[in-house]
Amino acid sequence: MGLTKYEISGKPFINGIVPDTDDDLLIVSASYESRCLSVSNCLADTYKVRRGAACCFREFLDHKNCGEVVRMHMERLKDNIAKHTRVPIISEAIGSWLDAKTEIEQLQRLMKELRSELGELSKVTVDVTTFNRESLAVLLSLLSCYFQDAKIRILYTKPNDYGAWLSRGFRRVRNIAGFPGILLPSRQTILIVLSGFEDERAINIIDRIEPASVYLGIGDPPTDDKFLRRNELTSRIIMARQDMKRFTFQADDVEACTKQLVNLIKDLRKSFNIILAPMSSKLSTVAAIRVALAFPDIQLVYGIPGEYNVQDYSKGEATIYETIIPTFELREEGRSIGDTE
Amino acid sequence: MQEQSVFEGNPFAIESPERLTASQILALFVEEYTRVAEARQKKHTFIWGPRGSGKSMMLRYMEIRCVKEKIISIEDFLSSADGFFGVYCPCKEGQFNKTELVEVLPERLATLFTEHLLNLSLVTNLIIAIRKELNPEHTHKDKVTRFGQLLVRLFDPGAIAPSRLSVNGLFSFEDEPLEWIIELLNEENRRVTRFLRATAHGASPATYSGSTTGYHDFLLPAVRLVQKEFLGESVPIFFLLDDVDRLRESQCSIVNTWVANRDQQHLCFKITANRDLYATFSTRDGGFIEQPHDYSEIDVEELYTSSSSDFQKRMMLIANRRLQLSLLPTKDIDKFLPSSVNEQKLLAEIRIRLEKEWDEKQGPGRKRDYVYRYAIPRLFQQLGKQKKSYAGFGNIVDLSSGIVRDFLEPVYLMVDHTLNQGAELNKIEFIPVGLQDDILHRYSEEFLLEKFAAIRKGLPPEKHGVLDRLAILVESLGQLFYVRLHDPDAREGRVFSFTLRGIASPELKRVLDLGVSFRYFQLRTYSRKEGGGLEKWYVLNRRVCPKFKLDASGFGGRISLTPEMAELACRESNEFVRLRLGEPLDYEEPDLFTMVKEGISWD
């Protein structure tokens, strides 16, 4: 598996996972950010896919400030993808970022629909750019359950910059459904935070979980140097608290980050309960999801914010990252490392 | 000697009780005036209190590892009439309130698995405590083996067969029976988690073939086995359940159902929670648990803080204990935190003047009542625009509004500031009045500015309006109480609480509830003197006093607000103050009960 970076220019460049062959599925997410369209805009003319699927949150579709934009993005995505399908059917999953049950039900329904209509899938492309982390974890886990032999290609569009704030407020922390982890009463708990720009959100997660100790990860190298500077600033605020251990991870590379996380946890998990909170880049979030899939004793958590910055979350689109993850292989690897299942 | 190592640095630092060793807990915990004796009684007990009020500390103090540290013989303790075996069982975030259990699974299934996970956790903690804390003669191999064999029989043999197989690969039951049992319980825990994962994400319907356990078929028999084999049949096990307000409603009903069983001779639940957040008192069959039949309760949040109150006495012991354990040279908190000499002098002069006034007029009422009622308001009035000092141990206790942490925190900041100025800990004899006041004013301001901003960050946007109204309400009350205190004609100026006369609208209720949950108000009920039932009594957190220049020292009475007036106070401070002051002085005299509880000294 490697990592490829494409600078976004005028010419569409995204081809099939296997050259000259149709992808089985392309999943995208409609959001309030314009970069949700980047991947679909960059599909090469020759790109063909058997089925497209667009996901969205009902709260965004109904939002008074961004609903119109999100609905427009949804339509644009469907139009863009339809140009590359042999049969113009685009499946939809309208989930919820507030209600875990609705989100799972919608994505489960989508998986069942795809399996019944398309059979086994082997080449799945996921544009992870504007999925929220919780939804992305559920989606990747479901894909690995329903289509165990699939190659999953991850595409991610890095923006030129982010807004002054990404989310505000804090509702609660919850484990991502399907990643309950095993928290044994006989063990102390370690919380591993892959930190991003949201210090308050990270502090809220730490405060509510009250772990015996916290490992705070800084994304270095980052996807962009200016993002590292912002991350450093955020992490200083969090590091001011007691019992913090700092480490770095590669925020711009799924494979490298996966290996770093596995190295970090492989010994810790023998003696501690491990909770993992991915709050950094989407690529490192994919790595965290892979690790949590490989080691089911790890709990994956998400801090639900009060609101997202739906009007100024990010600016522009700079680079598209491409990487292919053999999810099921990692599951096997995890098992061989020590999963008792 | 071990006490000396408790505080090498700032002795007023606040540490989570979970991180303290047994000897540190014993060194720091002050038993007097805490009602811990009540908590030790052989009944189910709810211990209510907000964060920082000392609930977890009280639980940990009752844990067997702490009890062991302060007694000579564990055998004597367990065989005494008051003996018990305390096992700490925290309800950690994500341990029982997993998304699959509270949001995804149907309630019936979720309840079944929650109870099973709770049982596994409680019994695991119990066995770990037995293994670690009992002397070897208590845990003789024959006993342990017999216990293990009988405990395993409480499970369905077919259901645990795969777990047994797995555990046999790690431990030998013959050689390490307790480790073997703990691992068996862990393995059953893992199987539940695997099922939860498969339920959420599985491509085909998930099936569960592991064990399930209930109260009567597992928890109670397991406890009775432990009693029989290790402790003695009459020694109850106290399950010290911390932070139970983390459980959702259906999960709380499991705990309530256990409480309703009234098996206190075998096991007692000591349950800590924030009362406002505890989801329900209903049981799984739709009944309710009631006090005193099913449980007793202890409220660790104190309302009264005056010099003869239990809280001030407790704080004195806590603070002096910390001084004793520290390198600070002063060991008396009254000397370490002196109050303003100038103000004390001024107050004494005012008292003499008031006595003379009363002598001249021969009234009204009794002389000491007259002096008590008017001395403090006159002090505030005389200070005028000068800064009021809140320095001094007693004053800081008043400002803490009955929360231990809210006393320790500002004092910690005072010592910290002094250390940052280059002072050596062993040379800090006292905290100057000026510095105390600076920190206390900042601490008060933080509660009104930064705290509101922080709360806003932690609330979903739909609640921001409620928070805004709460901020205005606090401002309105602060202004009103300030004007009352500084009015020379006010019959009673020392007011910082109100009762609500009438039913609050849903909107007003949301504001008041939010105020209570973030401790801007302490909520009590008050019996109206003229009869007619109870009124809700909201006491303003006295941490706001320095900012509004209010008297934090006593409960001189309470004003009564109609819901309409309270709603106005949530919208428009100036208008509220203007209208309220225009009304007749409608306040409640402090009654005798209040005076006794408050411990007012008439001399």
Side-chain angles (χ1 to χ4, degrees):
Chain A
M1 140 175 143
L3 176 80
T4 315
K5 286 188 211 177
Y6 302 98
E7 293 309 314
I8 296 176
S9 57
K11 200 176 169 204
F13 54 86
I14 297 173
N15 280 301
I17 296 172
V18 178
D20 305 323
T21 319
D22 292 5
D23 274 5
D24 289 318
L25 176 66
L26 168 62
I27 304 185
V28 296
S29 164
S31 143
Y32 41 81
E33 292 179 84
S34 60
R35 65 181 169 133
C36 74
L37 301 172
S38 305
V39 163
S40 69
N41 285 334
C42 292
L43 295 173
D45 295 342
T46 51
Y47 177 79
K48 288 290 171 197
V49 61
R50 290 170 68 199
R51 177 66 65 90
C55 303
C56 192
F57 292 132
R58 67 178 182 212
E59 293 86 356
F60 293 158
L61 286 168
D62 299 338
H63 199 285
K64 65 179 191 301
N65 293 331
C66 69
E68 202 177 320
V69 172
V70 175
R71 288 192 294 274
M72 185 187 79
H73 285 165
M74 187 73 165
E75 290 313 308
R76 285 272 301 278
L77 278 170
K78 290 202 283 193
D79 288 347
N80 285 353
I81 297 169
K83 288 177 198 158
H84 299 272
T85 55
R86 302 205 186 271
V87 184
I89 302 173
I90 309 297
S91 302
E92 273 187 22
I94 308 300
S96 165
W97 63 274
L98 288 172
D99 178 6
K101 190 174 185 186
T102 302
E103 181 62 10
I104 284 190
E105 282 173 353
Q106 282 296 308
L107 291 174
Q108 284 265 20
R109 187 196 50 73
L110 176 68
M111 292 299 130
K112 283 178 186 156
E113 178 188 315
L114 294 170
R115 192 168 62 178
S116 98
E117 292 178 16
L118 304 178
E120 280 302 317
L121 308 182
S122 60
K123 291 164 296 207
V124 177
T125 295
V126 184
D127 175 8
V128 302
T129 309
T130 54
F131 275 97
N132 84 349
R133 293 177 179 83
E134 188 173 36
S135 184
L136 181 59
V138 174
L139 175 70
L140 291 182
S141 176
L142 286 172
L143 281 172
S144 70
C145 287
Y146 276 78
F147 307 109
Q148 295 191 3
D149 296 327
K151 250 184 195 164
I152 296 177
R153 173 169 61 170
I154 300 291
L155 294 172
Y156 168 70
T157 308
K158 183 188 79 170
N160 285 320
D161 207 349
Y162 286 100
W165 57 277
L166 304 184
S167 68
R168 275 200 300 226
F170 193 83
R171 290 168 195 268
R172 62 184 187 280
V173 60
R174 69 180 170 207
N175 72 277
I176 297 176
F179 296 87
I182 298 169
L183 304 184
L184 297 176
S186 52
R187 294 180 175 188
Q188 288 196 312
T189 296
I190 286 177
L191 172 64
I192 300 173
V193 180
L194 304 185
S195 69
F197 302 156
E198 298 163 290
D199 53 320
E200 287 285 344
R201 201 163 156 199
I203 287 169
N204 266 307
I205 291 174
I206 295 166
D207 281 352
R208 304 215 182 179
I209 289 175
E210 295 179 325
S213 59
V214 178
Y215 283 68
L216 186 73
I218 313 293
D220 185 9
T223 51
D224 193 311
D225 283 344
K226 63 175 176 281
F227 299 162
L228 174 59
R229 286 194 293 277
R230 193 162 160 185
N231 185 196
E232 288 276 6
L233 198 69
T234 303
S235 70
R236 272 208 289 275
I237 296 167
I238 307 170
M239 286 296 288
R241 301 158 70 83
Q242 291 173 330
D243 300 317
M244 296 278 174
K245 295 177 181 73
R246 193 185 135 120
F247 71 100
T248 57
F249 61 91
Q250 215 163 324
D252 63 347
D253 187 330
V254 176
E255 184 63 11
C257 184
T258 304
K259 281 186 181 149
Q260 286 164 330
L261 287 174
V262 169
N263 279 336
L264 177 68
I265 60 154
K266 71 180 179 204
D267 288 331
L268 290 176
R269 64 188 279 274
K270 290 177 190 160
S271 318
F272 296 94
N273 299 318
I274 306 283
I275 298 179
L276 184 53
M279 303 184 70
S280 179
S281 67
K282 284 286 158 60
L283 297 173
S284 63
T285 300
V286 172
I289 295 165
R290 294 180 70 204
V291 171
L293 284 170
F295 302 101
D297 49 335
I298 293 173
Q299 185 177 82
L300 205 58
V301 296
Y302 185 70
I304 307 169
E307 61 180 327
Y308 293 97
N309 186 354
V310 296
Q311 288 174 308
D312 185 29
Y313 193 94
S314 67
K315 296 171 177 64
E317 49 201 44
T319 313
I320 290 181
Y321 289 75
E322 180 189 62
T323 190
I324 292 173
I325 55 164
T327 306
F328 63 95
E329 283 176 19
L330 189 87
R331 283 187 167 225
E332 293 303 320
E333 183 194 339
R335 211 165 280 161
S336 69
I337 289 173
D339 182 16
T340 53
E341 206 170 41
Chain B
M1 286 307 285
Q2 61 195 2
E3 289 192 349
Q4 284 179 357
S5 63
V6 172
F7 288 119
E8 282 165 4
N10 189 332
F12 297 97
I14 300 159
E15 274 287 354
S16 161
E18 279 201 56
R19 294 190 184 157
L20 297 174
T21 63
S23 55
Q24 285 172 320
I25 288 170
L26 284 183
L28 290 174
F29 188 77
V30 168
E31 197 172 323
E32 293 88 338
Y33 310 111
T34 57
R35 299 177 66 191
V36 71
E38 219 174 305
R40 281 207 200 96
Q41 289 177 6
K42 293 173 185 176
K43 18 171 134 158
H44 303 311
T45 311
F46 279 90
I47 301 166
W48 306 116
R51 198 166 179 233
S53 55
K55 310 183 294 290
S56 299
M57 197 75 171
M58 191 189 281
L59 283 195
R60 300 234 78 159
Y61 186 69
M62 291 196 288
E63 214 182 340
I64 190 66
R65 69 180 181 129
C66 288
V67 171
K68 237 177 90 178
E69 288 260 330
K70 63 175 182 167
I71 54 173
I72 296 164
S73 147
I74 192 163
E75 289 81 8
D76 290 350
F77 172 73
L78 291 177
S79 59
S80 71
D82 300 328
F84 63 88
F85 192 83
V87 182
Y88 184 67
C89 304
C91 294
K92 290 283 195 183
E93 184 66 55
Q95 189 180 3
F96 305 115
N97 59 348
K98 293 176 189 290
T99 306
E100 295 79 3
L101 292 173
V102 297
E103 291 191 58
V104 178
L105 278 184
E107 188 172 322
R108 192 182 54 80
L109 264 184
T111 308
L112 184 82
F113 283 112
T114 303
E115 181 162 23
H116 183 45
L117 283 178
L118 280 164
N119 284 334
L120 292 174
S121 177
L122 264 53
V123 173
T124 302
N125 285 325
L126 173 58
I127 295 173
I128 290 170
I130 294 282
R131 186 183 62 180
K132 272 171 73 173
E133 309 301 344
L134 287 186
N135 298 329
E137 58 268 28
H138 272 112
T139 51
H140 190 271
K141 199 171 169 193
D142 293 346
K143 284 183 174 191
V144 172
T145 306
R146 193 164 53 235
F147 167 73
Q149 286 163 343
L150 293 171
L151 187 79
V152 168
R153 280 192 212 163
L154 297 176
F155 291 104
D156 172 349
I160 61 163
S163 296
R164 288 185 74 145
L165 211 62
S166 161
V167 176
N168 284 339
L170 297 169
F171 296 100
S172 148
F173 181 80
E174 284 68 33
D175 297 337
E176 301 170 285
L178 285 182
E179 281 69 17
W180 189 93
I181 295 163
I182 291 168
E183 194 50 37
L184 180 81
L185 297 172
N186 285 346
E187 192 52 30
E188 283 301 299
N189 193 325
R190 289 187 188 104
R191 292 178 75 185
V192 174
T193 313
R194 278 181 215 133
F195 171 72
L196 296 180
R197 203 171 59 240
T199 305
H201 291 178
S204 48
T207 54
Y208 179 73
S209 55
S211 62
T212 55
T213 57
Y215 175 86
H216 288 290
D217 63 9
F218 183 75
L219 186 60
L220 183 60
V223 161
R224 298 202 65 172
L225 278 178
V226 168
Q227 285 181 306
K228 190 170 174 221
E229 294 297 340
F230 305 118
L231 305 177
E233 306 248 14
S234 62
V235 181
I237 287 154
F238 284 9
F239 285 113
L240 311 168
L241 305 180
D242 205 3
D243 294 327
V244 181
D245 48 28
R246 285 214 170 99
L247 302 184
R248 297 294 178 88
E249 190 170 335
S250 61
Q251 299 182 310
C252 285
S253 71
I254 295 168
V255 176
N256 295 340
T257 308
W258 292 350
V259 166
N261 282 313
R262 302 191 201 168
D263 290 311
Q264 291 96 324
Q265 70 274 32
H266 303 298
L267 76 172
C268 297
F269 297 104
K270 305 292 173 183
I271 300 161
T272 73
N274 186 332
R275 191 198 291 262
D276 304 319
L277 301 178
Y278 193 70
T280 182
F281 288 95
S282 70
T283 58
R284 287 172 65 180
D285 56 7
F288 280 89
I289 50 168
E290 286 177 283
Q291 194 203 8
H293 315 293
D294 300 307
Y295 66 91
S296 63
E297 62 180 12
I298 295 172
D299 201 332
V300 294
E301 182 188 31
E302 298 285 348
L303 185 61
Y304 299 104
T305 56
S306 68
S307 59
S308 53
S309 68
D310 282 356
F311 182 70
Q312 184 152 147
K313 288 175 189 160
R314 177 152 72 105
M315 277 319 311
M316 170 82 75
L317 292 170
I318 289 173
N320 282 340
R321 178 79 60 88
R322 285 181 179 243
L323 288 174
Q324 291 293 338
L325 296 170
S326 77
L327 299 173
L328 288 164
T330 307
K331 304 299 178 193
D332 176 350
I333 193 68
D334 258 333
K335 290 184 178 138
F336 188 69
L337 297 171
S339 53
S340 162
V341 176
N342 289 343
E343 277 191 17
Q344 282 173 357
K345 241 167 77 183
L346 193 57
L347 188 61
E349 287 164 15
I350 289 168
R351 284 199 174 113
I352 292 166
R353 277 208 300 277
L354 284 168
E355 281 174 9
K356 277 184 190 159
E357 266 178 40
W358 192 91
D359 287 341
E360 283 163 15
K361 293 187 270 185
Q362 285 297 303
R366 291 184 300 179
K367 183 155 73 172
R368 64 183 177 182
D369 294 355
Y370 183 78
V371 173
Y372 171 78
R373 174 171 286 169
Y374 292 110
I376 297 281
R378 288 277 175 90
L379 173 69
F380 276 80
Q381 289 152 22
Q382 200 157 323
L383 285 170
K385 288 187 177 166
Q386 284 180 56
K387 204 172 178 182
K388 168 76 179 78
S389 173
Y390 292 88
F393 166 71
N395 288 329
I396 301 173
V397 172
D398 286 335
L399 294 179
S400 75
S401 286
I403 297 291
V404 176
R405 181 181 296 224
D406 285 352
F407 171 86
L408 294 175
E409 217 163 61
V411 182
Y412 170 86
L413 293 172
M414 291 167 195
V415 175
D416 195 49
H417 179 89
T418 313
L419 291 171
N420 286 340
Q421 296 297 305
E424 288 173 46
L425 197 64
N426 59 1
K427 301 219 168 95
I428 305 173
E429 293 191 350
F430 64 94
I431 304 291
V433 169
L435 174 61
Q436 289 185 57
D437 276 324
D438 282 349
I439 300 267
L440 292 169
H441 275 88
R442 241 181 297 156
Y443 197 61
S444 175
E445 195 170 81
E446 187 203 24
F447 192 52
L448 288 166
L449 298 176
E450 283 99 323
K451 179 84 189 284
F452 269 117
I455 294 170
R456 176 179 292 275
K457 283 183 182 170
L459 282 180
E462 61 269 20
K463 286 193 176 167
H464 288 178
V466 182
L467 183 68
D468 292 339
R469 283 187 281 283
L470 173 64
I472 300 170
L473 175 63
V474 172
E475 176 72 27
S476 300
L477 293 168
Q479 281 186 26
L480 177 72
F481 296 152
Y482 170 86
V483 176
R484 287 283 297 266
L485 183 61
H486 291 77
D487 175 6
D489 297 326
R491 191 163 144 242
E492 180 52 75
R494 305 170 65 201
V495 181
F496 51 73
S497 63
F498 69 94
T499 53
L500 198 63
R501 190 163 287 196
I503 297 168
S505 65
E507 184 58 40
L508 178 61
K509 191 174 176 308
R510 276 193 286 273
V511 174
L512 294 170
D513 288 349
L514 193 71
V516 171
S517 74
F518 285 105
R519 298 207 64 256
Y520 285 92
F521 302 116
Q522 285 171 282
L523 176 61
R524 295 290 187 273
T525 49
Y526 171 71
S527 305
R528 291 164 65 172
K529 278 185 187 160
E530 62 269 36
L534 294 171
E535 286 179 348
K536 284 190 169 175
W537 176 25
Y538 294 89
V539 182
L540 195 58
N541 190 319
R542 279 156 279 170
R543 190 169 155 186
V544 304
C545 286
K547 189 72 184 70
F548 287 116
K549 208 172 174 184
L550 302 178
D551 171 33
S553 69
F555 288 77
R558 55 190 74 81
I559 61 166
S560 169
L561 294 178
T562 62
E564 293 74 29
M565 192 57 94
E567 277 166 22
L568 176 65
C570 295
R571 292 195 308 271
E572 177 51 65
S573 295
N574 292 341
E575 183 67 0
F576 164 75
V577 174
R578 192 182 65 76
L579 279 178
R580 191 62 183 77
L581 288 173
E583 286 183 7
L585 291 179
D586 176 19
Y587 77 93
E588 303 282 353
E589 290 274 2
D591 55 24
L592 182 63
F593 174 73
T594 307
M595 296 296 185
V596 170
K597 274 212 81 170
E598 194 186 1
I600 288 169
S601 163
W602 293 95
D603 300 317

